[in-house]
Amino acid sequence: QVQLVESGGGVVQPGRSLRLSCAASGFTFSNNGMHWVRQAPGKGLEWVAVIWYDGSNKYYADSVKGRFTISRDNSKNTVYLQMNSLRVEDTALYYCAREGDADHLPNSFDIWGQGTMVTVSS
Amino acid sequence: SYELTQPPSVSVSPGQTARITCSGDALPKKYAYWYQQKSGQAPVLVIYEDSKRPSGIPERFSGSSSGTVATLTISGAQVEDEADYYCYSTDSSGKGVFGGGTKLTVL
């Protein structure tokens, strides 16, 4: 079935780095843009980054620009989020989400993973 | 930076109509999307491109947009509709943005 599974979360000290992965299955991964969305404990959703289906374009929220890098490997059906210079305020549950294509729920987050928790603390 | 503004909470009795608004300066030119998030679960798309409903979403969910305000309407709200609702859109540079979320209480 169509599925996204995130991994790589954990507890890390401020200033350190972490790389999240999101493995996709059940669909043609190279057809869809992919996003990262995060949710701090007890707070709302925050969009983090997007990468186009072919990796040609990437956009970031101002809060992470210059520190986080989104990438993808279409041969491995995986999208990544490299997080550097982590801050306490980056503590959140990080979701990856599939963007629908032109024929099905365009520009929508139609499939979500269950998330991976990142805790930044000294 | 671009912002979408939602009321923090909306409360209705079962069977009543719930309306949740989302205001943003770019909404006249950009679509709004609505997501439902129940406690401990990942979000679920309930409305896309202002007013379209994905398959499997009950007909009582509808969306509209006029000027700088998009609205999610739940006609005949059910207890199971109690959740947090988030609007989403993009700014002119392609960056995404969520509204702050609205907690819907049905009791």
mmCIF file of all heavy atoms in Angstrom, chain B residues 28-54:
data_model
loop_
_atom_site.group_PDB
_atom_site.id
_atom_site.type_symbol
_atom_site.label_atom_id
_atom_site.label_comp_id
_atom_site.label_asym_id
_atom_site.label_seq_id
_atom_site.Cartn_x
_atom_site.Cartn_y
_atom_site.Cartn_z
ATOM 1 N N PRO B 28 -6.668 35.640 -2.533
ATOM 2 C CA PRO B 28 -7.354 35.891 -3.813
ATOM 3 C C PRO B 28 -6.652 35.259 -5.005
ATOM 4 O O PRO B 28 -7.271 35.027 -6.046
ATOM 5 C CB PRO B 28 -7.343 37.422 -3.911
ATOM 6 C CG PRO B 28 -7.302 37.885 -2.504
ATOM 7 C CD PRO B 28 -6.416 36.877 -1.805
ATOM 8 N N LYS B 29 -5.345 34.989 -4.874
ATOM 9 C CA LYS B 29 -4.561 34.445 -5.986
ATOM 10 C C LYS B 29 -4.084 33.023 -5.747
ATOM 11 O O LYS B 29 -3.591 32.366 -6.676
ATOM 12 C CB LYS B 29 -3.360 35.331 -6.252
ATOM 13 C CG LYS B 29 -3.682 36.749 -6.676
ATOM 14 C CD LYS B 29 -2.428 37.553 -6.946
ATOM 15 C CE LYS B 29 -2.747 38.973 -7.379
ATOM 16 N NZ LYS B 29 -1.513 39.775 -7.624
ATOM 17 N N LYS B 30 -4.175 32.547 -4.533
ATOM 18 C CA LYS B 30 -3.677 31.221 -4.167
ATOM 19 C C LYS B 30 -4.796 30.378 -3.580
ATOM 20 O O LYS B 30 -5.649 30.882 -2.855
ATOM 21 C CB LYS B 30 -2.541 31.353 -3.131
ATOM 22 C CG LYS B 30 -1.321 32.087 -3.647
ATOM 23 C CD LYS B 30 -0.555 31.256 -4.652
ATOM 24 C CE LYS B 30 0.769 31.919 -5.017
ATOM 25 N NZ LYS B 30 1.540 31.097 -5.986
ATOM 26 N N TYR B 31 -4.744 29.082 -3.880
ATOM 27 C CA TYR B 31 -5.729 28.172 -3.324
ATOM 28 C C TYR B 31 -5.500 27.954 -1.823
ATOM 29 O O TYR B 31 -4.377 28.033 -1.329
ATOM 30 C CB TYR B 31 -5.645 26.816 -4.008
ATOM 31 C CG TYR B 31 -6.239 26.763 -5.386
ATOM 32 C CD1 TYR B 31 -5.479 26.342 -6.468
ATOM 33 C CD2 TYR B 31 -7.568 27.109 -5.602
ATOM 34 C CE1 TYR B 31 -6.021 26.269 -7.739
ATOM 35 C CE2 TYR B 31 -8.116 27.043 -6.876
ATOM 36 C CZ TYR B 31 -7.337 26.629 -7.934
ATOM 37 O OH TYR B 31 -7.881 26.547 -9.188
ATOM 38 N N ALA B 32 -6.603 27.624 -1.148
ATOM 39 C CA ALA B 32 -6.526 27.186 0.242
ATOM 40 C C ALA B 32 -6.804 25.694 0.318
ATOM 41 O O ALA B 32 -7.566 25.144 -0.486
ATOM 42 C CB ALA B 32 -7.551 27.945 1.092
ATOM 43 N N TYR B 33 -6.135 25.061 1.253
ATOM 44 C CA TYR B 33 -6.299 23.632 1.511
ATOM 45 C C TYR B 33 -6.613 23.488 3.002
ATOM 46 O O TYR B 33 -6.119 24.270 3.827
ATOM 47 C CB TYR B 33 -5.015 22.866 1.173
ATOM 48 C CG TYR B 33 -4.599 23.025 -0.268
ATOM 49 C CD1 TYR B 33 -3.994 24.203 -0.704
ATOM 50 C CD2 TYR B 33 -4.833 22.024 -1.199
ATOM 51 C CE1 TYR B 33 -3.638 24.381 -2.031
ATOM 52 C CE2 TYR B 33 -4.471 22.186 -2.529
ATOM 53 C CZ TYR B 33 -3.890 23.373 -2.936
ATOM 54 O OH TYR B 33 -3.543 23.546 -4.257
ATOM 55 N N TRP B 34 -7.395 22.495 3.355
ATOM 56 C CA TRP B 34 -7.777 22.283 4.744
ATOM 57 C C TRP B 34 -7.418 20.862 5.183
ATOM 58 O O TRP B 34 -7.686 19.890 4.479
ATOM 59 C CB TRP B 34 -9.280 22.495 4.898
ATOM 60 C CG TRP B 34 -9.703 23.922 4.741
ATOM 61 C CD1 TRP B 34 -10.134 24.534 3.602
ATOM 62 C CD2 TRP B 34 -9.740 24.920 5.773
ATOM 63 N NE1 TRP B 34 -10.434 25.855 3.855
ATOM 64 C CE2 TRP B 34 -10.201 26.116 5.174
ATOM 65 C CE3 TRP B 34 -9.436 24.929 7.134
ATOM 66 C CZ2 TRP B 34 -10.362 27.305 5.902
ATOM 67 C CZ3 TRP B 34 -9.594 26.092 7.850
ATOM 68 C CH2 TRP B 34 -10.059 27.270 7.236
ATOM 69 N N TYR B 35 -6.848 20.795 6.390
ATOM 70 C CA TYR B 35 -6.431 19.515 6.961
ATOM 71 C C TYR B 35 -7.076 19.338 8.334
ATOM 72 O O TYR B 35 -7.148 20.291 9.119
ATOM 73 C CB TYR B 35 -4.904 19.438 7.081
ATOM 74 C CG TYR B 35 -4.241 19.454 5.735
ATOM 75 C CD1 TYR B 35 -3.918 20.649 5.106
ATOM 76 C CD2 TYR B 35 -3.987 18.264 5.057
ATOM 77 C CE1 TYR B 35 -3.355 20.666 3.845
ATOM 78 C CE2 TYR B 35 -3.417 18.269 3.794
ATOM 79 C CZ TYR B 35 -3.113 19.476 3.193
ATOM 80 O OH TYR B 35 -2.563 19.488 1.930
ATOM 81 N N GLN B 36 -7.501 18.121 8.589
ATOM 82 C CA GLN B 36 -8.059 17.749 9.877
ATOM 83 C C GLN B 36 -7.028 16.915 10.615
ATOM 84 O O GLN B 36 -6.452 15.988 10.043
ATOM 85 C CB GLN B 36 -9.329 16.908 9.657
ATOM 86 C CG GLN B 36 -9.942 16.348 10.921
ATOM 87 C CD GLN B 36 -10.959 15.251 10.610
ATOM 88 O OE1 GLN B 36 -10.606 14.173 10.139
ATOM 89 N NE2 GLN B 36 -12.236 15.537 10.853
ATOM 90 N N GLN B 37 -6.789 17.241 11.880
ATOM 91 C CA GLN B 37 -5.869 16.446 12.679
ATOM 92 C C GLN B 37 -6.525 16.070 13.999
ATOM 93 O O GLN B 37 -6.799 16.937 14.827
ATOM 94 C CB GLN B 37 -4.550 17.181 12.936
ATOM 95 C CG GLN B 37 -3.510 16.302 13.625
ATOM 96 C CD GLN B 37 -2.202 17.018 13.893
ATOM 97 O OE1 GLN B 37 -2.174 18.202 14.194
ATOM 98 N NE2 GLN B 37 -1.087 16.282 13.794
ATOM 99 N N LYS B 38 -6.743 14.791 14.164
ATOM 100 C CA LYS B 38 -7.261 14.288 15.431
ATOM 101 C C LYS B 38 -6.099 13.971 16.355
ATOM 102 O O LYS B 38 -4.972 13.745 15.902
ATOM 103 C CB LYS B 38 -8.145 13.076 15.192
ATOM 104 C CG LYS B 38 -9.406 13.430 14.401
ATOM 105 C CD LYS B 38 -10.339 12.244 14.246
ATOM 106 C CE LYS B 38 -11.590 12.690 13.499
ATOM 107 N NZ LYS B 38 -12.550 11.568 13.300
ATOM 108 N N SER B 39 -6.382 13.943 17.634
ATOM 109 C CA SER B 39 -5.345 13.790 18.647
ATOM 110 C C SER B 39 -4.465 12.570 18.397
ATOM 111 O O SER B 39 -4.974 11.458 18.221
ATOM 112 C CB SER B 39 -5.994 13.691 20.025
ATOM 113 O OG SER B 39 -5.014 13.580 21.025
ATOM 114 N N GLY B 40 -3.156 12.779 18.336
ATOM 115 C CA GLY B 40 -2.203 11.698 18.175
ATOM 116 C C GLY B 40 -2.108 11.120 16.782
ATOM 117 O O GLY B 40 -1.435 10.102 16.580
ATOM 118 N N GLN B 41 -2.749 11.764 15.813
ATOM 119 C CA GLN B 41 -2.746 11.242 14.450
ATOM 120 C C GLN B 41 -2.128 12.235 13.469
ATOM 121 O O GLN B 41 -2.043 13.429 13.751
ATOM 122 C CB GLN B 41 -4.177 10.916 14.010
ATOM 123 C CG GLN B 41 -4.846 9.851 14.855
ATOM 124 C CD GLN B 41 -6.244 9.529 14.358
ATOM 125 O OE1 GLN B 41 -6.605 9.827 13.212
ATOM 126 N NE2 GLN B 41 -7.040 8.915 15.206
ATOM 127 N N ALA B 42 -1.698 11.724 12.328
ATOM 128 C CA ALA B 42 -1.226 12.597 11.264
ATOM 129 C C ALA B 42 -2.414 13.343 10.643
ATOM 130 O O ALA B 42 -3.552 12.876 10.702
ATOM 131 C CB ALA B 42 -0.515 11.773 10.196
ATOM 132 N N PRO B 43 -2.159 14.502 10.069
ATOM 133 C CA PRO B 43 -3.245 15.257 9.419
ATOM 134 C C PRO B 43 -3.835 14.509 8.233
ATOM 135 O O PRO B 43 -3.182 13.664 7.622
ATOM 136 C CB PRO B 43 -2.542 16.545 8.964
ATOM 137 C CG PRO B 43 -1.346 16.664 9.841
ATOM 138 C CD PRO B 43 -0.896 15.254 10.081
ATOM 139 N N VAL B 44 -5.075 14.872 7.920
ATOM 140 C CA VAL B 44 -5.795 14.305 6.773
ATOM 141 C C VAL B 44 -6.374 15.452 5.962
ATOM 142 O O VAL B 44 -6.979 16.371 6.512
ATOM 143 C CB VAL B 44 -6.928 13.371 7.245
ATOM 144 C CG1 VAL B 44 -7.799 12.942 6.064
ATOM 145 C CG2 VAL B 44 -6.367 12.161 7.977
ATOM 146 N N LEU B 45 -6.196 15.389 4.644
ATOM 147 C CA LEU B 45 -6.746 16.407 3.745
ATOM 148 C C LEU B 45 -8.262 16.276 3.687
ATOM 149 O O LEU B 45 -8.788 15.192 3.427
ATOM 150 C CB LEU B 45 -6.161 16.205 2.350
ATOM 151 C CG LEU B 45 -6.664 17.119 1.236
ATOM 152 C CD1 LEU B 45 -6.126 18.535 1.430
ATOM 153 C CD2 LEU B 45 -6.240 16.573 -0.125
ATOM 154 N N VAL B 46 -8.977 17.392 3.909
ATOM 155 C CA VAL B 46 -10.437 17.356 3.804
ATOM 156 C C VAL B 46 -10.969 18.234 2.680
ATOM 157 O O VAL B 46 -12.059 17.989 2.172
ATOM 158 C CB VAL B 46 -11.135 17.717 5.140
ATOM 159 C CG1 VAL B 46 -10.836 16.643 6.203
ATOM 160 C CG2 VAL B 46 -10.731 19.090 5.647
ATOM 161 N N ILE B 47 -10.225 19.278 2.302
ATOM 162 C CA ILE B 47 -10.612 20.155 1.194
ATOM 163 C C ILE B 47 -9.345 20.579 0.463
ATOM 164 O O ILE B 47 -8.352 20.934 1.096
ATOM 165 C CB ILE B 47 -11.365 21.407 1.686
ATOM 166 C CG1 ILE B 47 -12.715 21.047 2.286
ATOM 167 C CG2 ILE B 47 -11.532 22.425 0.547
ATOM 168 C CD1 ILE B 47 -13.764 20.545 1.278
ATOM 169 N N TYR B 48 -9.386 20.562 -0.882
ATOM 170 C CA TYR B 48 -8.264 21.071 -1.657
ATOM 171 C C TYR B 48 -8.762 22.056 -2.705
ATOM 172 O O TYR B 48 -9.935 22.055 -3.076
ATOM 173 C CB TYR B 48 -7.451 19.943 -2.280
ATOM 174 C CG TYR B 48 -8.138 19.158 -3.380
ATOM 175 C CD1 TYR B 48 -7.814 19.363 -4.709
ATOM 176 C CD2 TYR B 48 -9.094 18.182 -3.077
ATOM 177 C CE1 TYR B 48 -8.427 18.640 -5.713
ATOM 178 C CE2 TYR B 48 -9.712 17.450 -4.065
ATOM 179 C CZ TYR B 48 -9.369 17.679 -5.388
ATOM 180 O OH TYR B 48 -9.981 16.960 -6.386
ATOM 181 N N GLU B 49 -7.864 22.904 -3.145
ATOM 182 C CA GLU B 49 -8.181 23.944 -4.135
ATOM 183 C C GLU B 49 -9.479 24.674 -3.763
ATOM 184 O O GLU B 49 -10.417 24.759 -4.562
ATOM 185 C CB GLU B 49 -8.250 23.345 -5.537
ATOM 186 C CG GLU B 49 -6.898 22.884 -6.037
ATOM 187 C CD GLU B 49 -6.903 22.384 -7.463
ATOM 188 O OE1 GLU B 49 -7.991 22.049 -7.981
ATOM 189 O OE2 GLU B 49 -5.812 22.332 -8.078
ATOM 190 N N ASP B 50 -9.505 25.180 -2.595
ATOM 191 C CA ASP B 50 -10.587 26.003 -2.011
ATOM 192 C C ASP B 50 -11.857 25.228 -1.666
ATOM 193 O O ASP B 50 -12.455 25.440 -0.614
ATOM 194 C CB ASP B 50 -10.995 27.137 -2.963
ATOM 195 C CG ASP B 50 -9.949 28.227 -3.105
ATOM 196 O OD1 ASP B 50 -9.026 28.283 -2.260
ATOM 197 O OD2 ASP B 50 -10.062 29.027 -4.044
ATOM 198 N N SER B 51 -12.312 24.378 -2.611
ATOM 199 C CA SER B 51 -13.676 23.857 -2.439
ATOM 200 C C SER B 51 -13.858 22.406 -2.872
ATOM 201 O O SER B 51 -14.995 21.916 -2.885
ATOM 202 C CB SER B 51 -14.653 24.736 -3.223
ATOM 203 O OG SER B 51 -14.315 24.740 -4.600
ATOM 204 N N LYS B 52 -12.791 21.731 -3.263
ATOM 205 C CA LYS B 52 -12.926 20.361 -3.749
ATOM 206 C C LYS B 52 -12.741 19.379 -2.596
ATOM 207 O O LYS B 52 -11.867 19.552 -1.746
ATOM 208 C CB LYS B 52 -11.910 20.098 -4.856
ATOM 209 C CG LYS B 52 -12.111 21.004 -6.068
ATOM 210 C CD LYS B 52 -11.028 20.792 -7.100
ATOM 211 C CE LYS B 52 -11.216 21.746 -8.270
ATOM 212 N NZ LYS B 52 -10.140 21.621 -9.281
ATOM 213 N N ARG B 53 -13.525 18.335 -2.620
ATOM 214 C CA ARG B 53 -13.510 17.353 -1.543
ATOM 215 C C ARG B 53 -12.912 16.055 -2.032
ATOM 216 O O ARG B 53 -13.409 15.469 -2.997
ATOM 217 C CB ARG B 53 -14.928 17.131 -1.026
ATOM 218 C CG ARG B 53 -15.029 16.350 0.261
ATOM 219 C CD ARG B 53 -16.485 16.282 0.745
ATOM 220 N NE ARG B 53 -17.352 15.710 -0.263
ATOM 221 C CZ ARG B 53 -18.273 16.397 -0.932
ATOM 222 N NH1 ARG B 53 -18.467 17.677 -0.666
ATOM 223 N NH2 ARG B 53 -19.017 15.807 -1.853
ATOM 224 N N PRO B 54 -11.858 15.556 -1.361
ATOM 225 C CA PRO B 54 -11.268 14.262 -1.773
ATOM 226 C C PRO B 54 -12.275 13.131 -1.573
ATOM 227 O O PRO B 54 -13.180 13.233 -0.748
ATOM 228 C CB PRO B 54 -10.075 14.101 -0.827
ATOM 229 C CG PRO B 54 -9.809 15.475 -0.288
ATOM 230 C CD PRO B 54 -11.131 16.168 -0.251
#
